Amino acid sequence: MEIFLKDIEDVNNENRQYAQKRKIVGLLNKSEKPLTIPGICKKVKLSVPTGTKLINELIDDKVIVESGKKETNNGRRPSLYKVDSNFAYCIGVVVLLKGISFSVYNLDMHEVFKFQDDDFVLENTPGCLDRVVAFIQKAISTSGINPGRVLGMGMGITGRVNSKTGYSHNYFNFLEESLIDFFSAKFSFPVYVDNDTHVLGLAEQYFGKAKDIKNAFVLNLSRGMGLAIIANGELIVGENGFSGEFGHIQFAESDRLCLCGKRGCLGTEVSGYALEQNFQQQVEAGETSLLLTSRESCQIKYVDILKAAANGDSLSISLTHNLGFKLGKALGNMINLLNPGVIIIGGEFVSAKDILIDSIKSGMTHTGLQLPLRSCELIFSSIGADAASKGAAAIVLRSLQLI
Amino acid sequence: MEIFLKDIEDVNNENRQYAQKRKIVGLLNKSEKPLTIPGICKKVKLSVPTGTKLINELIDDKVIVESGKKETNNGRRPSLYKVDSNFAYCIGVVVLLKGISFSVYNLDMHEVFKFQDDDFVLENTPGCLDRVVAFIQKAISTSGINPGRVLGMGMGITGRVNSKTGYSHNYFNFLEESLIDFFSAKFSFPVYVDNDTHVLGLAEQYFGKAKDIKNAFVLNLSRGMGLAIIANGELIVGENGFSGEFGHIQFAESDRLCLCGKRGCLGTEVSGYALEQNFQQQVEAGETSLLLTSRESCQIKYVDILKAAANGDSLSISLTHNLGFKLGKALGNMINLLNPGVIIIGGEFVSAKDILIDSIKSGMTHTGLQLPLRSCELIFSSIGADAASKGAAAIVLRSLQLI
DNA sequence: GCAAGTTTCTAATTTTTTTTATTAACTCAA
DNA sequence: TTGAGTTAATAAAAAAAATTAGAAACTTGC
């Protein structure tokens, strides 16, 4: 653990060795396959004898382990080495409007423990903050993991959060101190925070479909909407971590009033909330739907509409299609601006991907320029429900360059 | 020169020392003030004796020079060192629709030579490409600089250029090879290319008002319009270098036909070209202007309108104001998306800054969210006419980490 | 004006690292 | 099966770097 936790500010030999060891561990952890000593030494620019020495020390410390010999077609077969993925852990916590989750991952990013409370409701009150702390403490104790083996905890929180300072502007904004300081004082390991959209972007960047792509968009489309932008291989959070307010771009054709106070925000037309509104409006205007047989229109949630669309409900299909087309037009503009290699649609709307894909694409061709459009792929996330959680934990590994 | 030009792929002691020397030179060149040996050693994580040795070798090679002693209030006064800014040079070439320029800068980014041809007209023909090559060759020979002292040449070219591969899509696209390969074969030093807007962004990032800001927009507003985006301290060029097509975002209220074939592009309302069109339209509709006393409306250029606006011409002011307001609205949206710390307006429109600043700002408040808006400053470029040229040369220094 | 405290710088010593040489492990073809 | 070719791993020698120690250059307080 010393390797990861020791500061390397001072210029001296011990610290230099810690830095080199960290580089070796990072390289091994990033690599899909185990590596050989000569391979490692070449990458970290170290001679074979010194590399061997450091690797042997890391084996003594149980950070890395041997894993067989490499098959080659000439020469002596080298031994292979990989990190012991259970040597240390990182924690991902996600706080949403409804529901809170806590997951522990090993260095391989395999989930080794999960704790969840779907009844949790986020409120901007000290009581709610206490509940969050209690929830995490409970989770840690029931998990049975050794806090000394935890490299850190990343938290993804709904709302506007300054990812650099850790100050939150929507929830828990009554705190004098930053969320990072607040939570750091409660736990023995480092704490990091960011908002839910950014955290979802990190998940796609490191474990999802944006893995080897340096410029990508990750759209978080559920009840609300946000856009994580990855450029030059890094998540762009902006000067204060407020980037990604794609839902508040004035781009809708209608001029519905948005929660932010402005009119014409894209989120008033493209979001789960908007889908519900549009559904109700159409029903009031006389349209009909299979969904109405079981419930009142005001009780129908956007996930129901998406499901109905997938099942062939005509009104739901047309509304979803419309939404996709508008989204596509907005995305086409963003393509002109940032020239991403891939756009990944994540969030609850993934369930309607068969309907959305073509409508988004046709919207994109309306606004996108040929050259950047041609090189931009549109795909849907396949990372699953715990993407945000993985992304939150990824903040920890990123800060240690283990990823 | 060996220090800069030698590849450091192989792991061996000589290369390691070259890398360390490069680090030292980069540190000294980036620093405003000369530095002491202990200061340098701390930064590059080297012991004082080895640092001293390397620095002395660099002095022997005439790369760095001593520059007096540092004033301190206790202890022995350390010697100060800085790079000899005339040790090496970099070249910036800018190819615009009308006009081509060639500048040589020393490591300080002081212009030591300039060569210009305002009669040059860019055409997508082999003949024009030949003229560009001849112009550069002529410039080099008249400059009298030793090509062996040139670290490289950066070129900024109008149109869509893949900044990574160097392939050009608008001009000289008849070439089988990339522009980088084409020009590299003609000269003995490395060549880099990018488009004019990106190059202007680099100039602001390194020498202008975005110098210490990690997230910035640099708007290139002249006859056309482009946006350079700096995020996480790096210029964002996108997957193929096509980023920044802000003028082709469908955001205008009108639906004028754009040169790109689409309707409603921002550039049809916010650009020098649009200003000319709007002026003519208003005159045809019966409006009058001071400008009409000297010329026909169809002969009036956007720079004339900007000048007239600055001189109080009512029609020009109102058109400029309108343009600024629309621009502001579009920028407000971009602020929501990317949360920049500063927006710098560059290009010919800087001459109308007094009129533009308030109109852009009021446009921004219409679309920008409070939090990101509050932390975003709007300023005008003051870097001057040769900004693009400096930016093009900056590509060279950036690639060597001298900046 | 001199001792005490600081910091730079260099010389001597020690440690660490790289180089070089050697041995080991393996393939393939004659 | 044997030896030529290749790569890995280790051991010994050489080089390079970091530590340590001490001298030099400077301030400040007494």
Side-chain angles (χ1 to χ4, degrees):
Chain A
M1 293 297 286
E2 231 178 337
I3 310 151
F4 301 114
L5 302 178
K6 188 151 181 191
D7 276 339
I8 47 168
E9 286 303 296
D10 262 20
V11 192
N12 67 45
N13 209 277
E14 198 191 349
N15 284 345
R16 198 182 316 273
Q17 288 202 351
Y18 275 119
Q20 282 166 337
K21 282 185 185 176
R22 223 139 88 163
K23 240 176 157 181
I24 292 172
V25 176
L27 181 71
L28 284 172
N29 205 47
K30 271 172 228 164
S31 163
E32 303 273 320
K33 291 172 252 161
L35 301 175
T36 67
I37 288 183
I40 294 166
C41 292
K42 206 162 195 175
K43 285 271 186 187
V44 300
K45 297 191 187 275
L46 231 51
S47 73
V48 174
T50 28
T52 308
K53 188 196 131 212
L54 296 179
I55 287 165
N56 283 328
E57 284 175 18
L58 285 167
I59 290 171
D60 290 344
D61 293 343
K62 313 227 184 283
V63 185
I64 69 180
V65 289
E66 228 193 287
S67 92
K69 297 221 172 242
K70 187 177 182 183
E71 293 291 315
T72 54
N73 33 352
N74 54 356
R76 178 173 169 177
R77 269 82 188 269
S79 294
L80 289 165
Y81 300 88
K82 61 179 183 186
V83 304
D84 176 3
S85 46
N86 290 313
F87 171 73
Y89 302 93
C90 56
I91 296 173
V93 170
V94 179
V95 184
L96 299 177
L97 287 174
K98 282 178 184 172
I100 182 170
S101 80
F102 171 102
S103 297
V104 181
Y105 299 93
N106 68 9
L107 294 174
D108 244 357
M109 284 310 283
H110 282 115
E111 193 178 75
V112 296
F113 178 76
K114 190 174 179 85
F115 200 67
Q116 204 161 354
D117 180 1
D118 293 327
D119 297 328
F120 173 86
V121 175
L122 181 59
E123 287 163 9
N124 189 20
T125 60
C128 182
L129 184 55
D130 288 343
R131 276 195 293 282
V132 171
V133 173
F135 169 81
I136 297 172
Q137 279 165 340
K138 177 92 181 291
I140 290 172
S141 69
T142 55
S143 77
I145 54 159
N146 173 3
R149 288 270 106 137
V150 175
L151 295 172
M153 175 169 77
M155 302 180 72
I157 301 179
T158 292
R160 259 149 240 159
V161 181
N162 186 323
S163 18
K164 282 161 192 166
T165 62
Y167 280 93
S168 175
H169 293 265
N170 295 32
Y171 294 98
F172 311 140
N173 55 12
F174 47 82
L175 279 176
E176 290 277 318
E177 58 193 337
S178 80
L179 286 181
I180 290 176
D181 292 339
F182 175 80
F183 283 105
S184 291
K186 299 260 183 287
F187 304 102
S188 56
F189 35 72
V191 177
Y192 309 84
V193 297
D194 207 330
N195 74 43
D196 51 341
T197 298
H198 287 166
V199 144
L200 211 68
L202 285 177
E204 290 293 343
Q205 183 189 0
Y206 291 119
F207 319 115
K209 289 180 169 167
K211 208 169 178 184
D212 299 307
I213 298 168
K214 292 260 175 282
N215 297 275
F217 291 167
V218 182
L219 190 78
N220 181 9
L221 186 54
S222 293
R223 189 168 176 81
M225 189 239 261
L227 185 70
I229 295 162
I230 294 154
N232 283 3
E234 279 178 56
L235 180 75
I236 304 302
V237 300
E239 197 69 6
N240 313 289
F242 299 146
S243 79
E245 295 291 357
F246 192 42
H248 296 288
I249 281 197
Q250 274 67 33
F251 198 70
E253 271 104 39
S254 85
D255 63 344
R256 265 189 195 156
L257 190 66
C258 178
L259 288 167
C260 76
K262 299 185 188 296
R263 286 184 185 278
C265 287
L266 186 62
T268 64
E269 288 292 329
V270 181
S271 69
Y273 176 77
L275 191 59
E276 290 170 9
Q277 294 242 307
N278 286 337
F279 186 87
Q280 225 174 313
Q281 236 171 45
Q282 290 293 308
V283 170
E284 278 161 21
E287 283 281 349
T288 184
S289 159
L290 287 171
L291 282 168
L292 293 169
T293 55
S294 55
R295 265 166 297 181
E296 283 293 316
S297 75
C298 63
Q299 287 199 328
I300 291 166
K301 296 290 165 205
Y302 74 95
V303 280
D304 304 321
I305 302 169
L306 294 174
K307 209 178 289 171
N311 289 331
D313 178 57
S314 157
L315 175 60
S316 301
I317 288 176
S318 120
L319 289 173
T320 308
H321 190 278
N322 253 320
L323 182 149
F325 186 73
K326 281 175 183 163
L327 172 60
K329 280 172 81 173
L331 284 175
N333 281 325
M334 296 305 112
I335 290 173
N336 293 347
L337 200 72
L338 288 158
N339 180 212
V342 67
I343 296 178
I344 300 165
I345 313 287
E348 298 282 0
F349 273 69
V350 173
S351 62
K353 64 177 167 187
D354 293 330
I355 296 162
L356 280 171
I357 190 142
D358 293 322
S359 44
I360 296 176
K361 272 189 182 167
S362 65
M364 273 165 39
T365 55
H366 267 70
T367 52
L369 292 169
Q370 267 198 24
L371 275 173
L373 205 56
R374 212 156 52 196
S375 52
C376 180
E377 210 186 339
L378 177 71
I379 51 182
F380 284 78
S381 176
S382 59
I383 220 174
D386 54 345
S389 182
K390 267 190 167 174
I395 307 176
V396 179
L397 297 185
R398 182 184 59 174
S399 76
L400 293 168
Q401 293 176 285
L402 289 176
I403 214 172
Chain B
M1 294 298 286
E2 231 178 339
I3 311 151
F4 301 113
L5 303 178
K6 188 152 181 192
D7 276 338
I8 47 167
E9 285 304 294
D10 262 21
V11 192
N12 68 45
N13 210 274
E14 198 190 352
N15 285 345
R16 200 182 315 272
Q17 289 202 349
Y18 275 119
Q20 282 166 337
K21 282 186 185 175
R22 223 141 87 165
K23 241 177 156 178
I24 291 172
V25 176
L27 181 71
L28 284 172
N29 205 48
K30 272 172 228 166
S31 163
E32 304 273 320
K33 290 172 255 161
L35 301 174
T36 67
I37 288 184
I40 294 166
C41 292
K42 205 161 195 175
K43 285 271 186 185
V44 301
K45 297 193 184 273
L46 232 51
S47 73
V48 174
T50 28
T52 308
K53 188 196 130 211
L54 296 179
I55 288 165
N56 284 328
E57 286 175 15
L58 285 167
I59 290 171
D60 289 344
D61 293 343
K62 312 225 184 288
V63 186
I64 68 181
V65 287
E66 229 192 287
S67 92
K69 298 222 172 244
K70 188 178 182 182
E71 293 291 315
T72 53
N73 32 350
N74 55 355
R76 175 171 171 179
R77 270 82 188 271
S79 295
L80 289 164
Y81 301 88
K82 61 178 183 185
V83 306
D84 176 4
S85 47
N86 290 313
F87 171 73
Y89 302 92
C90 56
I91 296 173
V93 170
V94 178
V95 184
L96 299 176
L97 287 173
K98 282 177 185 173
I100 181 169
S101 80
F102 170 102
S103 297
V104 180
Y105 300 92
N106 69 8
L107 295 174
D108 244 356
M109 285 310 283
H110 282 114
E111 194 178 77
V112 295
F113 178 76
K114 190 174 178 84
F115 199 67
Q116 203 162 356
D117 180 0
D118 293 329
D119 297 328
F120 173 87
V121 175
L122 181 59
E123 286 162 11
N124 188 20
T125 59
C128 182
L129 184 55
D130 288 343
R131 276 195 294 281
V132 171
V133 173
F135 170 81
I136 297 172
Q137 279 166 339
K138 178 93 180 291
I140 291 173
S141 69
T142 55
S143 77
I145 55 159
N146 173 2
R149 290 269 107 139
V150 175
L151 295 171
M153 176 169 78
M155 303 181 72
I157 301 179
T158 293
R160 260 149 240 160
V161 181
N162 185 323
S163 17
K164 281 161 192 166
T165 63
Y167 279 93
S168 175
H169 293 266
N170 295 31
Y171 294 97
F172 311 140
N173 54 12
F174 47 81
L175 278 178
E176 291 277 318
E177 58 194 335
S178 81
L179 286 181
I180 290 176
D181 291 339
F182 174 80
F183 283 106
S184 292
K186 301 260 183 288
F187 304 102
S188 57
F189 35 72
V191 177
Y192 308 83
V193 296
D194 208 331
N195 74 43
D196 52 340
T197 298
H198 287 165
V199 143
L200 211 69
L202 285 176
E204 290 293 341
Q205 182 189 359
Y206 291 118
F207 318 115
K209 289 180 170 167
K211 208 169 178 183
D212 298 307
I213 299 168
K214 293 260 176 281
N215 298 273
F217 291 166
V218 181
L219 190 78
N220 181 10
L221 186 54
S222 293
R223 191 169 174 81
M225 189 238 262
L227 186 71
I229 295 162
I230 293 153
N232 283 3
E234 279 179 55
L235 179 76
I236 303 302
V237 300
E239 197 69 7
N240 314 289
F242 298 146
S243 79
E245 295 292 356
F246 192 43
H248 296 289
I249 281 195
Q250 274 68 32
F251 198 70
E253 271 104 36
S254 85
D255 61 343
R256 265 191 194 153
L257 190 67
C258 178
L259 289 167
C260 76
K262 300 186 187 296
R263 284 184 187 278
C265 287
L266 185 63
T268 64
E269 287 293 328
V270 181
S271 68
Y273 176 76
L275 191 60
E276 290 170 9
Q277 295 241 308
N278 286 337
F279 186 86
Q280 224 174 315
Q281 235 171 46
Q282 290 293 309
V283 169
E284 278 162 19
E287 283 281 347
T288 185
S289 159
L290 286 170
L291 281 168
L292 294 168
T293 55
S294 56
R295 263 166 299 178
E296 283 292 316
S297 73
C298 63
Q299 286 200 328
I300 291 165
K301 296 289 165 205
Y302 74 96
V303 279
D304 303 321
I305 302 169
L306 293 173
K307 209 177 288 171
N311 289 333
D313 178 56
S314 157
L315 175 60
S316 301
I317 289 176
S318 120
L319 289 174
T320 307
H321 191 280
N322 252 320
L323 183 148
F325 185 73
K326 281 177 183 162
L327 172 60
K329 280 173 80 173
L331 285 174
N333 281 325
M334 296 304 109
I335 290 173
N336 293 346
L337 201 72
L338 288 157
N339 180 214
V342 67
I343 296 179
I344 300 164
I345 313 286
E348 298 281 359
F349 274 69
V350 173
S351 63
K353 65 176 165 187
D354 293 330
I355 297 162
L356 280 172
I357 188 139
D358 293 321
S359 44
I360 296 176
K361 272 188 182 167
S362 65
M364 272 165 41
T365 54
H366 267 70
T367 52
L369 293 169
Q370 267 197 25
L371 276 172
L373 204 56
R374 212 157 52 197
S375 53
C376 180
E377 208 186 341
L378 177 72
I379 51 183
F380 284 78
S381 177
S382 60
I383 219 173
D386 55 346
S389 184
K390 266 190 168 174
I395 307 177
V396 179
L397 298 185
R398 181 184 61 174
S399 76
L400 293 168
Q401 292 176 284
L402 289 176
I403 214 173

